[in-house]
Amino acid sequence: MKFKQMIFCAIDFSNLNESKRFISKIADHIGGIKVGLEFFLKNGPHGVLELKKIGLPIFLDLKLKDIPNTVKKATENIVQLSPEYLSVHVTGGSIMLKELNLVKKTTKILGVTMLTSLDNKDLRNFGLNISNNEYVKNLAKIGVAAGIDGLVSSAHEVPELKKIINKKGFLYVTPGIRFSDNKINDQKRIISPGLAVKFGSSMLIIGRSITQSKDPIETLKRISENIEAQIES
Ligand code: C5P
């Protein structure tokens, strides 16, 4: 399938065997596996090492955020897992982001800007009277200055981010991917796979649309076709 390298499936399962079974079904049609808190808190580092055996790139989505020393020590324990990607919240601040040197030797650091489950109303409730675009751009500048390898945001913000980030190979990682007939669930800043790629996304994080589909392979084909159609239009 064309574009499969860009598609990272969010394996939001608790059960290790169920996760392995599901991945083995779709492994030939995706570019990587995204492992988040649900899986990690149940299966821990052992579970990640088990998934690594499948041979696909791993994005360990732990969204770390704490004081710099705590994050530094935590990431020292991640080195043994050497995931291809690791997420941290940019709102942890630039000192925290700079404390990741050891893990950076093996792993690309992705900075979470604003969760795709939030919108402008949430920002106002936080006391921030700015748009999500401005907020994400502010965080992007902090992340880039601290040397991270990519940003996690909605694809809606990617065109604006590309105007201010001029780094070759920089990664634009976008969750909140939905077709118009998909359930939105808890996401707010959603977008179709094709538009996300058209807007410049380099990695699409897609969970429930695939994992809860009656026919996950068919869904992956539809995702690929949707990207192709948008790119050609
Ligand atoms: O099921 P769905 O496609 O909404 O899953 C999106 C995945 O991306 C979830 O695993 C979620 O933790 C993750 N994610 C997100 N928003 C971010 C960062 C990660 O939804 N900003």
Side-chain angles (χ1 to χ4, degrees):
M1 244 182 274
K2 243 175 152 183
F3 306 108
K4 75 168 189 179
Q5 302 304 341
M6 312 180 85
I7 299 169
F8 274 58
C9 185
I11 300 300
D12 292 323
F13 297 120
S14 295
N15 186 291
L16 175 59
N17 286 331
E18 188 189 355
S19 306
K20 285 205 248 178
R21 262 198 308 276
F22 186 79
I23 299 164
S24 72
K25 266 196 251 166
I26 60 165
D28 290 342
H29 306 282
I30 56 173
I33 303 166
K34 198 212 73 141
V35 185
L37 285 178
E38 179 180 345
F39 179 91
F40 193 75
L41 290 177
K42 182 72 181 176
N43 302 292
H46 163 76
V48 176
L49 291 172
E50 282 296 302
L51 295 189
K52 265 183 87 109
K53 288 183 189 162
I54 296 168
L56 285 166
I58 302 273
F59 170 11
L60 189 55
D61 186 23
L62 297 184
K63 297 190 181 72
L64 299 173
K65 180 179 177 180
D66 210 314
I67 60 169
N69 183 59
T70 303
V71 169
K72 180 181 178 189
K73 297 286 184 192
T75 54
E76 283 170 9
N77 289 335
I78 288 169
V79 173
Q80 44 139 347
L81 302 176
S82 58
E84 275 73 8
Y85 308 94
L86 171 73
S87 62
V88 297
H89 275 287
V90 177
T91 48
S94 56
I95 297 175
M96 184 200 81
L97 295 172
K98 285 178 190 158
E99 290 286 14
L100 306 169
N101 285 338
L102 196 59
V103 77
K104 277 187 85 168
K105 288 184 186 141
T106 54
T107 299
K108 287 193 164 41
I109 304 296
L110 303 176
V112 177
T113 54
M114 178 179 169
L115 295 171
T116 43
S117 52
L118 303 175
D119 62 13
N120 280 329
K121 205 170 144 212
D122 294 295
L123 290 182
R124 277 199 300 280
N125 289 339
F126 297 160
L128 298 167
N129 210 6
I130 55 174
S131 68
N132 51 290
N133 255 319
E134 287 308 306
Y135 181 65
V136 170
K137 276 202 284 185
N138 288 347
L139 293 176
K141 286 178 201 157
I142 293 168
V144 170
I148 61 173
D149 304 288
L151 287 164
V152 186
S153 72
S154 154
H156 290 288
E157 289 108 30
V158 171
E160 287 290 311
L161 291 177
K162 289 203 157 186
K163 285 186 199 159
I164 59 165
I165 301 168
N166 196 11
K167 272 180 94 179
K168 210 168 164 249
F170 195 79
L171 296 164
Y172 298 89
V173 179
T174 62
I177 306 295
R178 292 289 186 279
F179 286 116
S180 52
D181 58 354
N182 284 157
K183 272 194 199 147
I184 292 173
N185 311 109
D186 48 0
Q187 298 282 16
K188 284 184 185 158
R189 300 190 338 279
I190 56 166
I191 192 164
S192 69
L195 265 186
V197 175
K198 195 169 190 173
F199 284 180
S201 170
S202 24
M203 198 193 278
L204 306 182
I205 306 298
I206 313 180
R208 286 161 288 189
S209 309
I210 302 171
T211 56
Q212 294 180 6
S213 163
K214 285 197 186 95
D215 187 344
I217 308 258
E218 202 43 52
T219 300
L220 282 158
K221 279 190 192 144
R222 188 179 171 205
I223 290 168
S224 197
E225 283 161 14
N226 184 258
I227 297 171
E228 217 165 315
Q230 274 291 351
I231 285 186
E232 281 161 9
S233 71

